Amino acid sequence: MTRTVFCKKYQQDLEGLDKAPYPGPKGQDIFENVSKKAWEEWHAHQTMLINEKHLSMMDPASRKFLQAEMEKFLSGEEYEKAEGYVPPSE
């Protein structure tokens, strides 16, 4: 049986994550309030940001930037997008 959460990004009940994505209170908050769909979308968006903005995960400023963007993305706020990117039409 899958567990459901009220996703703070989509404002509806959706399938939840199987486990907290990382340790500590932040990981627990994501586990309890973010859907699997939103988390998977964040992973894809994070990868695009890292590639397009040439971010280094060794750089504390880059990690801080991604953390802030993750908060915005998962909360449904305006977030940084890769310049010139046009999402594929379905």
Side-chain angles (χ1 to χ4, degrees):
M1 184 168 138
T2 60
R3 71 183 258 293
T4 60
V5 297
F6 186 77
C7 180
K8 64 183 179 181
K9 178 171 179 61
Y10 290 107
Q11 297 295 303
Q12 60 182 322
D13 288 323
L14 294 168
E15 181 180 354
L17 296 168
D18 297 327
K19 61 181 181 167
Y22 37 83
K26 185 53 158 169
Q28 190 62 34
D29 178 54
I30 292 169
F31 180 70
E32 293 172 358
N33 300 297
V34 174
S35 66
K36 184 181 271 189
K37 175 184 176 186
W39 187 250
E40 289 171 355
E41 288 174 359
W42 164 247
H43 264 259
H45 185 70
Q46 172 182 256
T47 300
M48 187 176 5
L49 287 176
I50 291 168
N51 290 336
E52 295 297 321
K53 295 190 175 292
H54 306 286
L55 302 177
S56 168
M57 294 302 87
M58 298 295 289
D59 176 27
S62 291
R63 291 194 312 267
K64 188 174 183 176
F65 168 77
L66 279 178
Q67 182 74 26
E69 292 307 306
M70 179 184 76
E71 292 291 329
K72 293 177 196 173
F73 184 90
L74 295 176
S75 295
E77 299 173 20
E78 278 296 310
Y79 55 89
E80 186 79 22
K81 296 175 180 70
E83 292 178 31
Y85 174 73
V86 177
S89 57
E90 294 184 32

